[in-house]
Amino acid sequence: MSIVYKCRHCGHEIGKLEQQVIDTSMLGFDQLTMREKEEMINYKDNGDVHIHAICENCEETLGHHPHYHELDFFIQ
């Protein structure tokens, strides 16, 4: 089982954890609301978990262009 962190905007793989057993509370999943979990976490058929986060480059771009927060995707 892998936990794969990908940027929700550009699709860049931010990181990957290869573990057989993972305590999701150690990853902070228990701090998310149900809506945030639905938006951010995708469970794959092979047991992998994909997390939609924001990479440093996209975070910096959002900092320089705050109006981009209104858009679902700002990278075409």
Side-chain angles (χ1 to χ4, degrees), residues 45-61:
D45 292 336
N46 65 356
D48 287 355
V49 179
H50 286 213
I51 309 298
H52 299 285
I54 299 176
C55 71
E56 290 179 2
N57 291 333
C58 289
E59 184 176 14
E60 183 178 335
T61 299

Side-chain angles (χ1 to χ4, degrees), residues 15-43:
K16 187 175 191 177
L17 300 171
E18 298 280 350
Q19 299 289 328
Q20 292 300 320
V21 177
I22 297 175
D23 180 0
T24 56
S25 65
M26 289 183 67
L27 300 175
F29 291 1
D30 59 330
Q31 301 295 312
L32 301 173
T33 65
M34 285 304 291
R35 183 173 181 205
E36 290 170 331
K37 288 178 186 177
E38 290 171 0
E39 292 175 357
M40 294 179 65
I41 303 172
N42 291 60
Y43 297 92

